[in-house]
Each structure stands twice: as structure tokens, then as C-alpha cells.
Amino acid sequence: MRSTLAGPRVLLRRLREVMAEPINAQERLDKIVVLIAANVVAEVCSVYILRADGVLELYATEGLNRDAVHKTSLKVGEGLVGLIAADARPLNLPNAQAHPAFAYRPETGEEAYNSFLGVPILRAGRTLGVLVVQNQSHRTYFEDEVEALQTTAMVIAEMVAAGELEAIVQQGTKLDMSRPMHFQGVALSDGVGLGHVVLHEPRVVVTNLIAEDATVELERLERAINRLRISIDDLLNSGDMAPSGEHRDVLEAYRMFAHDRGWIRKIEEAINNGLTAEAAVEKVQSDTRARMMRQTDPYLRERLHDLDDLAHRLIRELMGRQQGPISESLPQDAVIVARNMGAAELLDYGRDRIRAVALEEGGPTSHVTIVARALGIAAVGLADNLVSLAESGDAVIVDGESGQVHLRPAPDIENAYAEKVRFRARRQAQYRRLRNKPAVTRDGAKLSLQLNAGLLVDLPAVTESGGDGVGLFRTELQFMVASSFPRMSVQTDYYRQVLEASEGRPVTFRTLDIGGDKVLPYLRAIQEENPAMGWRAIRFGLDRPGVLRTQIRALLRAAAGRDLKIMFPMVSEVDEFRRAKGVVEREIAHLTRHGYALPERLQLGVMIEVPSLLYQLDELYSLVDFASIGSNDLFQFFNAVDRGNTRVAGRFDTMSPAFLRALKEIVDTAARHDTPVTLCGEIAGRPLEAMALAALGYTNLSMSPSALGPVKAMVRALDLARLKETVLPLLDAPGDLRSLRPTLRAFAQETDVPF
């Protein structure tokens, strides 16, 4: 017989009253199951909650034996309840006992009941439990009854997520929401960070679940969807948007979902059943996520990310929240958790509070990784599904050495990592004792170890680590953290402070390397199909000479009476250097005419990061005062591998004979021209790779501050002549040798070289 009650809306109104009562969690659950049973005219209503050990425990029931509460349990996948938890889908049966998955529990007294309806208790697509109703009669439950149960399950999910049920957890057990979880990702930045989760794009917590007036909520939804559609259409129709490419594909997917009547109809149905507009979006998206997470098709999984993003945007529209990350009120031990993020977004956070970064995506040479290393922040990438399983405030450990992330770690794991942190501190103390010792090999070869930097706060590390100077100062970081384009006076003051903070050590300033994935928030972004090979760095500077002239003038004025080294990035032909040098010469003439003091000594160089320069080295070295190798981009272009694409970023090895031969050609040609060459890419900061570079003839390396100690320790233990005898013959040896890494590792182990 069909229920004559008003369905989900009546139930939700009564639930709201129960949720407001000053009662404990068990009493609240007991009242909820009574309400549900009455609403759907069911003889039984039961709530099962998922524990950390993968067991579903009966937490409340109306109609079954009350003595079975907290005593009856089923494993995930066991029985009808376990099947719902495993599949995250409702199950509606007129004759439950005939189903092959039916599991009888005699202590419950459920043998008298035939019809069965169960729905998963979901949050962000994650199963937290199961809600069940049963009747003696053989019947199939109606759609509005299924909807009522799903809506109520959402309320229970919020109780679980809020920690309300922790007070009634049985001794010796834990809820699944508090279950320790382990993720094996890829190490991006060395270090160990212990702290608490801060979601980079936090899920908006929907606290107002139950609607007062469905008509009002439907109108709110319509207005929010219209605003969302307009914002997406504006982006797609703007002159900045390329006619094709990945950015456009993502926005086209957004537009498709935003205009999808099926998706919107489901949200409207949830509103008509009594939810607020934002709660309806959250419910529909949670159901969709639970279903799509079980798909194996990678295309469908990618579309899930698109739909997640769109749903979060719509919720923010409905709640009047700002789109994008929120960085205020960070805890003192923040661990930033994100699908992915840009370098500028990381710099937006208070650096002194960040202990680590954990990403679902991200590659070893992505710019956010480089910034994390520069800031000395542990980072891990490719931690699949971390964002949906983490909650703000969860305890977390990020191991930037092994690539592991421990979410809600068990006490023994936490204690072990606390000891690891103490061990690292002792090891860092050993490195500090090397601070004033030279980087000289056992057989007397001297290396110069410098630091990569990009902010004023990086400069004290030069002195503290015993570095020989700054081999790469990324000037764009100042522009990326500014809210507007820095005026020349601001730039001049900033560069002067950098030179003063270096305490007489040389600083090599790289001119602006913006474009690609490094976008200034106050400049109009140009969408390109291949931004890494697009309008960036020196190409941008030469096409926007006013920007380049302003920076050059500021550098010249800041270095008055001092030595100044300027290098230009992304040079792909010698003529680009000639043009850039012409800009410098014009600025020198301008400052001279107006009576400004000039640098005592000026050196101009280029970054070698485009393979075309390998065939112009003789001409190049005859013009430049020095060169620096940006091995990250050079390796990327050399192998045609997008360093930000996690599918291919680890496909090729920097220690391959082909790439090492290219590096050797660069340094050998420089030696013939007596031109200094520094390698300032990420491989300079890894002891094993630095060994290979030393064998090739590189005596100037620049790296992140945290890498200098380990590299210096390696250098001081190294017999360079013996290493060259081992490595160099392999570069041109016939055979199918794919990497010299095993050879280098074996050499280090045999000769007690730390790596």
C-alpha cells in the first residue's frame, strides 16, 4: 500500500526538529529511525555505520531487536547491507531473503521481513554507512521513498563527518571517517612534514540542509546556474581563448554539464524533496561521484573531476562564497592538499606555517614542485583520490623522500615519523658543520655550489648553508606574489635588497620568465595549446619591450657600484640574445645621460634550455659572458616530454646517455671558449645526478638550499678522477644502455660516497 504521507519534505521538517534537540548521538539516531519508519510506513528502519576495520555495525534500529544494536555487524560486501556499501548504490527488493547475497543474523529477528530498501550513507562519494527499511509484505518501494531515504542518509552523513557519533563508538573500534589511510605517490620535494590538512580548494561545508520553501530554493538554483553559465560562456567567447586546446576542452566540458538538463533535473528533484539548493547540489554530486569512482574508464574518471569542480563552483555561487582557494587562518602546521596548484598559489600561503604539500597530480619538474623545493617544503604528487578522502583538520604526514602520504596516521606511524624528523634534524646538523668547508673532492677538484632563489626570504640560506652565491635568482616570483605590476622604483629597491642580503656573494638575476603556466594575475592570460613552448620568457620580453626595459633599468640602478650578472631565459637563437643585449645597452646609455651610477662590472648571459642552441654554441659563446643550463626545460624539450604531464613525466631518465652527451657537448664547447657555465636545474641538487655532472666537467652547480648539504657531502667523499674513468667511456659505448643511474649508484656504494 502506498504511503499517504507527504514524503521527504515532511520527513526533513521533522528531522530538523530532532537535529535541534539537546540530546546525545544515540538518542538522536534512535529518534531518526523512528521518524523514517513512520514516514515510509516501514516496520523496520536500521542504521549501519562503517567502522575503520571495514565492518558495518548496527548503530540504531526501529523494529528489529534493540539488543542487537552495536552487536550485529557485517563486513563490506557481506549480506545485502554489505553489498550496498561495496557498490554505493541503493537496493530495492520485494523479497530480500530470495536474494543470493542475503545474510541472516538471528539476533536481529529480521526473518519475518521480506521487502527491503537500503541506500548508502555517502559524503563526497565516500561510503560511511547504510540506511535500511524493511516490511513484512512483499512490495517494491516507490521512488519518493527511495528519495526520502537518500536525503535522510545525507543528514546522517553530516553527523558522522562532524564527529557526533564518536561519543558512542564502542571501545576498541573506530569509525571509518577516522581510519588511517596510506597513499603511495611520487616524491617531489625532499623533507618530512607532519601537520593538519588544509584543502587548497576546500569543500564548502553545507550547514543549512533543510529548506523552508522549495519555490525559493528553485529560484536560487536557477539564478546561480545562470550566473555560472554566463561566466563559462564569457571565458569561452573572450578573445583570449584559443580556438582549441586543453583549457578550452575543460571549459567546454563545464558548459556541457552546466546545460545538462538531466543533472539539473536531479538537483531540482532533491529540492522538491525538501533540501536547500546547495544541499541538493551536494547530494546529487555525492551520488554521482560514488557511481563514477567505480568506473575503470580513465575518460569517465576525468569527467568526474570536471563535474566535481563545476558542482563546487555552483555551491559557492549559491552560498555567495569567493571562487578559488582560501588561505586565511592557516594552522601553524598546515599541510596543503590539492588536486594540483600553480607556483603562485603556493606562494599565496604563509610560508612559515606550511609544513608540506600533497597533490593528486603534479610532476617532479612542475613549477609548484620547484617552488616547494626552493622554500624547503616537503611535497608529494600523484597521491590518487587524496582530496576526496581528506577532511580539513585531519592529521597527516607527507614523506617527501619516499613519496608516501599518511592520512590520519596511527600512533606508531606518527611516533616513527617523529623519530625520522629528529634523525633528519641530526643529519642537517651534520651538513651545517660542512658549511664553512670547501666543496673539494678527495682528489682535489674544486666545485662551486650556489643556490637557486626567488624571494628575499631565500637569501639568508646562502650564508647559513655556506653557498658560494646565487646561481639563479628567479625574478618572476616577486611579480607573481604582487597584486599589481611592480613599478620600477619598487623593483629597484627589491633588487638592491637582494644584492645587500647576498653579502658580497655573486647573484645571477634571470629576467622575467613568465607565460606558459606562470601567469601574472594582473596581466591578461593568453591561452595556448602548448604554453611551455609558447609566448613566454625572452619572447614575451622582446615583444613587450617596455616590461623588459623597466626591469633592466631597475637592475642597473640597484647594482650601482657593484657587480651585476643578468641572464635571459628561453633563448632559442643567438639573435634573441643580441636584441636583448641591445636593450641593456640602450638603458645604460639612458642612465649615463641622466647621471646615474652604473654597475662596476656587468656580465650578460643566457640560459641554455632550448635544444636549438646546441647547434649555435660556438657563435653563442663568442658573444656571452657566461651561460647557465636550465636542465628542467632542456630535458623536457630534448625528449618532447611535458614535465607537467604525469603520464609521461617519469618516462625518460635524466641520466640517459643521450641527454648526458648533450650536456657534455655544452660544457666542452664552453671550455674551448673559456666561458663559465653553471647548471641550475633540479638535477644539480640531487647527489647522484650531481656526481654525473661533475664527471662531465661541470664545476658550477646551483640548487635549492636544502640540497646543498647533501651535495657537498657527496663532493667531499668523491674521487672524481676514478669516477670519470668509470662514467665517460659509457657515454659512447655501443649497446642498449638506457641510463647510467645504476652505474652511478653502484660506484657510490663501492666508494662510500653518500647519495
Side-chain angles (χ1 to χ4, degrees), residues 380-410:
V380 167
L382 299 186
D384 191 40
N385 217 30
L386 173 62
V387 172
S388 64
L389 294 173
E391 296 286 337
S392 289
D394 278 346
V396 63
I397 298 171
V398 175
D399 187 339
E401 294 179 355
S402 66
Q404 297 181 80
V405 178
H406 298 272
L407 185 63
R408 299 180 292 272

mmCIF file of all heavy atoms in Angstrom, residues 380-410:
data_model
loop_
_atom_site.group_PDB
_atom_site.id
_atom_site.type_symbol
_atom_site.label_atom_id
_atom_site.label_comp_id
_atom_site.label_asym_id
_atom_site.label_seq_id
_atom_site.Cartn_x
_atom_site.Cartn_y
_atom_site.Cartn_z
ATOM 1 N N VAL A 380 54.687 15.800 -2.125
ATOM 2 C CA VAL A 380 54.423 14.508 -2.768
ATOM 3 C C VAL A 380 53.337 14.714 -3.808
ATOM 4 O O VAL A 380 52.378 15.463 -3.587
ATOM 5 C CB VAL A 380 53.975 13.452 -1.724
ATOM 6 C CG1 VAL A 380 53.398 12.215 -2.405
ATOM 7 C CG2 VAL A 380 55.139 13.062 -0.829
ATOM 8 N N GLY A 381 53.488 14.067 -4.964
ATOM 9 C CA GLY A 381 52.485 14.128 -6.018
ATOM 10 C C GLY A 381 51.915 12.764 -6.333
ATOM 11 O O GLY A 381 52.374 11.741 -5.792
ATOM 12 N N LEU A 382 50.919 12.733 -7.199
ATOM 13 C CA LEU A 382 50.274 11.502 -7.654
ATOM 14 C C LEU A 382 49.706 10.673 -6.499
ATOM 15 O O LEU A 382 49.724 9.439 -6.530
ATOM 16 C CB LEU A 382 51.252 10.650 -8.479
ATOM 17 C CG LEU A 382 51.792 11.285 -9.765
ATOM 18 C CD1 LEU A 382 52.617 10.291 -10.548
ATOM 19 C CD2 LEU A 382 50.672 11.836 -10.628
ATOM 20 N N ALA A 383 49.191 11.370 -5.475
ATOM 21 C CA ALA A 383 48.504 10.688 -4.370
ATOM 22 C C ALA A 383 47.036 10.571 -4.756
ATOM 23 O O ALA A 383 46.212 11.427 -4.429
ATOM 24 C CB ALA A 383 48.673 11.464 -3.067
ATOM 25 N N ASP A 384 46.696 9.526 -5.468
ATOM 26 C CA ASP A 384 45.387 9.394 -6.111
ATOM 27 C C ASP A 384 44.242 9.413 -5.105
ATOM 28 O O ASP A 384 44.263 8.710 -4.102
ATOM 29 C CB ASP A 384 45.349 8.089 -6.915
ATOM 30 C CG ASP A 384 44.138 8.002 -7.826
ATOM 31 O OD1 ASP A 384 43.777 9.030 -8.424
ATOM 32 O OD2 ASP A 384 43.555 6.910 -7.919
ATOM 33 N N ASN A 385 43.244 10.241 -5.381
ATOM 34 C CA ASN A 385 41.991 10.332 -4.620
ATOM 35 C C ASN A 385 42.163 10.907 -3.219
ATOM 36 O O ASN A 385 41.272 10.794 -2.373
ATOM 37 C CB ASN A 385 41.318 8.953 -4.524
ATOM 38 C CG ASN A 385 39.824 9.042 -4.618
ATOM 39 O OD1 ASN A 385 39.288 9.942 -5.262
ATOM 40 N ND2 ASN A 385 39.137 8.143 -3.971
ATOM 41 N N LEU A 386 43.300 11.533 -2.956
ATOM 42 C CA LEU A 386 43.569 12.077 -1.619
ATOM 43 C C LEU A 386 42.574 13.167 -1.243
ATOM 44 O O LEU A 386 42.099 13.227 -0.096
ATOM 45 C CB LEU A 386 45.001 12.625 -1.570
ATOM 46 C CG LEU A 386 45.409 13.388 -0.302
ATOM 47 C CD1 LEU A 386 45.331 12.466 0.913
ATOM 48 C CD2 LEU A 386 46.811 13.958 -0.448
ATOM 49 N N VAL A 387 42.227 14.041 -2.187
ATOM 50 C CA VAL A 387 41.381 15.191 -1.871
ATOM 51 C C VAL A 387 40.017 14.755 -1.352
ATOM 52 O O VAL A 387 39.504 15.294 -0.373
ATOM 53 C CB VAL A 387 41.234 16.107 -3.102
ATOM 54 C CG1 VAL A 387 40.199 17.193 -2.852
ATOM 55 C CG2 VAL A 387 42.582 16.737 -3.453
ATOM 56 N N SER A 388 39.414 13.762 -2.007
ATOM 57 C CA SER A 388 38.065 13.360 -1.603
ATOM 58 C C SER A 388 38.052 12.597 -0.293
ATOM 59 O O SER A 388 37.025 12.536 0.387
ATOM 60 C CB SER A 388 37.423 12.506 -2.706
ATOM 61 O OG SER A 388 38.133 11.298 -2.880
ATOM 62 N N LEU A 389 39.186 12.026 0.111
ATOM 63 C CA LEU A 389 39.232 11.229 1.336
ATOM 64 C C LEU A 389 39.744 12.021 2.535
ATOM 65 O O LEU A 389 39.675 11.547 3.670
ATOM 66 C CB LEU A 389 40.108 9.991 1.125
ATOM 67 C CG LEU A 389 39.554 8.980 0.106
ATOM 68 C CD1 LEU A 389 40.557 7.881 -0.171
ATOM 69 C CD2 LEU A 389 38.239 8.389 0.587
ATOM 70 N N ALA A 390 40.275 13.205 2.290
ATOM 71 C CA ALA A 390 40.800 14.033 3.380
ATOM 72 C C ALA A 390 39.761 15.056 3.804
ATOM 73 O O ALA A 390 38.980 15.540 2.989
ATOM 74 C CB ALA A 390 42.078 14.739 2.933
ATOM 75 N N GLU A 391 39.778 15.377 5.077
ATOM 76 C CA GLU A 391 38.924 16.430 5.619
ATOM 77 C C GLU A 391 39.826 17.506 6.214
ATOM 78 O O GLU A 391 40.893 17.200 6.767
ATOM 79 C CB GLU A 391 38.003 15.878 6.712
ATOM 80 C CG GLU A 391 36.996 14.848 6.230
ATOM 81 C CD GLU A 391 35.852 15.469 5.439
ATOM 82 O OE1 GLU A 391 35.591 16.673 5.627
ATOM 83 O OE2 GLU A 391 35.228 14.751 4.638
ATOM 84 N N SER A 392 39.414 18.746 6.115
ATOM 85 C CA SER A 392 40.189 19.821 6.735
ATOM 86 C C SER A 392 40.382 19.517 8.212
ATOM 87 O O SER A 392 39.437 19.150 8.908
ATOM 88 C CB SER A 392 39.471 21.167 6.564
ATOM 89 O OG SER A 392 39.522 21.588 5.228
ATOM 90 N N GLY A 393 41.627 19.655 8.666
ATOM 91 C CA GLY A 393 41.932 19.404 10.067
ATOM 92 C C GLY A 393 42.420 18.012 10.357
ATOM 93 O O GLY A 393 42.913 17.741 11.463
ATOM 94 N N ASP A 394 42.320 17.078 9.383
ATOM 95 C CA ASP A 394 42.838 15.730 9.599
ATOM 96 C C ASP A 394 44.351 15.775 9.837
ATOM 97 O O ASP A 394 45.074 16.534 9.177
ATOM 98 C CB ASP A 394 42.589 14.845 8.371
ATOM 99 C CG ASP A 394 41.186 14.277 8.322
ATOM 100 O OD1 ASP A 394 40.492 14.333 9.348
ATOM 101 O OD2 ASP A 394 40.785 13.775 7.255
ATOM 102 N N ALA A 395 44.821 14.933 10.739
ATOM 103 C CA ALA A 395 46.263 14.773 10.907
ATOM 104 C C ALA A 395 46.830 14.105 9.657
ATOM 105 O O ALA A 395 46.194 13.224 9.068
ATOM 106 C CB ALA A 395 46.568 13.929 12.134
ATOM 107 N N VAL A 396 48.021 14.527 9.235
ATOM 108 C CA VAL A 396 48.613 13.981 8.015
ATOM 109 C C VAL A 396 50.126 14.070 8.090
ATOM 110 O O VAL A 396 50.682 14.975 8.727
ATOM 111 C CB VAL A 396 48.078 14.738 6.767
ATOM 112 C CG1 VAL A 396 48.493 16.205 6.795
ATOM 113 C CG2 VAL A 396 48.526 14.071 5.469
ATOM 114 N N ILE A 397 50.779 13.099 7.458
ATOM 115 C CA ILE A 397 52.241 13.090 7.343
ATOM 116 C C ILE A 397 52.583 12.984 5.862
ATOM 117 O O ILE A 397 52.056 12.123 5.153
ATOM 118 C CB ILE A 397 52.865 11.906 8.109
ATOM 119 C CG1 ILE A 397 52.567 12.015 9.606
ATOM 120 C CG2 ILE A 397 54.362 11.844 7.865
ATOM 121 C CD1 ILE A 397 52.955 10.773 10.396
ATOM 122 N N VAL A 398 53.460 13.848 5.385
ATOM 123 C CA VAL A 398 53.913 13.821 3.999
ATOM 124 C C VAL A 398 55.411 13.514 4.004
ATOM 125 O O VAL A 398 56.201 14.260 4.584
ATOM 126 C CB VAL A 398 53.645 15.169 3.297
ATOM 127 C CG1 VAL A 398 54.238 15.174 1.893
ATOM 128 C CG2 VAL A 398 52.140 15.446 3.234
ATOM 129 N N ASP A 399 55.762 12.407 3.379
ATOM 130 C CA ASP A 399 57.165 11.980 3.310
ATOM 131 C C ASP A 399 57.692 12.281 1.912
ATOM 132 O O ASP A 399 57.442 11.536 0.961
ATOM 133 C CB ASP A 399 57.262 10.485 3.613
ATOM 134 C CG ASP A 399 58.704 10.007 3.736
ATOM 135 O OD1 ASP A 399 59.603 10.692 3.215
ATOM 136 O OD2 ASP A 399 58.937 8.956 4.365
ATOM 137 N N GLY A 400 58.421 13.389 1.799
ATOM 138 C CA GLY A 400 58.969 13.808 0.516
ATOM 139 C C GLY A 400 60.173 13.007 0.088
ATOM 140 O O GLY A 400 60.727 13.262 -0.990
ATOM 141 N N GLU A 401 60.607 12.047 0.891
ATOM 142 C CA GLU A 401 61.708 11.167 0.493
ATOM 143 C C GLU A 401 61.184 9.920 -0.210
ATOM 144 O O GLU A 401 61.699 9.515 -1.243
ATOM 145 C CB GLU A 401 62.526 10.758 1.719
ATOM 146 C CG GLU A 401 63.261 11.907 2.385
ATOM 147 C CD GLU A 401 64.034 11.454 3.610
ATOM 148 O OE1 GLU A 401 63.920 10.264 3.982
ATOM 149 O OE2 GLU A 401 64.751 12.269 4.202
ATOM 150 N N SER A 402 60.142 9.313 0.367
ATOM 151 C CA SER A 402 59.624 8.058 -0.182
ATOM 152 C C SER A 402 58.384 8.251 -1.035
ATOM 153 O O SER A 402 57.932 7.313 -1.700
ATOM 154 C CB SER A 402 59.298 7.095 0.960
ATOM 155 O OG SER A 402 58.221 7.601 1.746
ATOM 156 N N GLY A 403 57.789 9.458 -1.017
ATOM 157 C CA GLY A 403 56.580 9.699 -1.785
ATOM 158 C C GLY A 403 55.314 9.204 -1.113
ATOM 159 O O GLY A 403 54.284 9.047 -1.757
ATOM 160 N N GLN A 404 55.360 8.985 0.189
ATOM 161 C CA GLN A 404 54.202 8.462 0.908
ATOM 162 C C GLN A 404 53.443 9.574 1.625
ATOM 163 O O GLN A 404 54.032 10.551 2.091
ATOM 164 C CB GLN A 404 54.634 7.418 1.936
ATOM 165 C CG GLN A 404 55.292 6.197 1.334
ATOM 166 C CD GLN A 404 55.675 5.193 2.393
ATOM 167 O OE1 GLN A 404 54.856 4.423 2.880
ATOM 168 N NE2 GLN A 404 56.951 5.215 2.769
ATOM 169 N N VAL A 405 52.115 9.400 1.707
ATOM 170 C CA VAL A 405 51.264 10.284 2.493
ATOM 171 C C VAL A 405 50.472 9.412 3.461
ATOM 172 O O VAL A 405 49.845 8.432 3.046
ATOM 173 C CB VAL A 405 50.289 11.089 1.609
ATOM 174 C CG1 VAL A 405 49.378 11.960 2.469
ATOM 175 C CG2 VAL A 405 51.055 11.956 0.620
ATOM 176 N N HIS A 406 50.521 9.749 4.733
ATOM 177 C CA HIS A 406 49.780 9.023 5.762
ATOM 178 C C HIS A 406 48.692 9.957 6.292
ATOM 179 O O HIS A 406 48.990 10.950 6.967
ATOM 180 C CB HIS A 406 50.700 8.583 6.897
ATOM 181 C CG HIS A 406 51.785 7.639 6.463
ATOM 182 N ND1 HIS A 406 51.618 6.274 6.433
ATOM 183 C CD2 HIS A 406 53.048 7.866 6.024
ATOM 184 C CE1 HIS A 406 52.718 5.696 6.004
ATOM 185 N NE2 HIS A 406 53.610 6.641 5.740
ATOM 186 N N LEU A 407 47.445 9.624 5.965
ATOM 187 C CA LEU A 407 46.301 10.431 6.401
ATOM 188 C C LEU A 407 45.726 9.818 7.674
ATOM 189 O O LEU A 407 45.487 8.612 7.728
ATOM 190 C CB LEU A 407 45.247 10.459 5.294
ATOM 191 C CG LEU A 407 44.022 11.345 5.509
ATOM 192 C CD1 LEU A 407 44.423 12.813 5.600
ATOM 193 C CD2 LEU A 407 43.024 11.134 4.381
ATOM 194 N N ARG A 408 45.519 10.648 8.683
ATOM 195 C CA ARG A 408 45.062 10.191 10.000
ATOM 196 C C ARG A 408 45.950 9.031 10.480
ATOM 197 O O ARG A 408 45.464 7.917 10.723
ATOM 198 C CB ARG A 408 43.592 9.769 9.938
ATOM 199 C CG ARG A 408 42.647 10.891 9.542
ATOM 200 C CD ARG A 408 41.203 10.439 9.486
ATOM 201 N NE ARG A 408 40.941 9.509 8.408
ATOM 202 C CZ ARG A 408 40.606 9.856 7.166
ATOM 203 N NH1 ARG A 408 40.469 11.136 6.867
ATOM 204 N NH2 ARG A 408 40.383 8.944 6.242
ATOM 205 N N PRO A 409 47.241 9.251 10.602
ATOM 206 C CA PRO A 409 48.179 8.153 10.895
ATOM 207 C C PRO A 409 47.943 7.540 12.267
ATOM 208 O O PRO A 409 47.549 8.222 13.219
ATOM 209 C CB PRO A 409 49.551 8.832 10.825
ATOM 210 C CG PRO A 409 49.271 10.270 11.139
ATOM 211 C CD PRO A 409 47.926 10.554 10.548
ATOM 212 N N ALA A 410 48.217 6.245 12.353
ATOM 213 C CA ALA A 410 48.152 5.541 13.635
ATOM 214 C C ALA A 410 49.287 6.039 14.524
ATOM 215 O O ALA A 410 50.314 6.531 14.031
ATOM 216 C CB ALA A 410 48.269 4.037 13.400
#
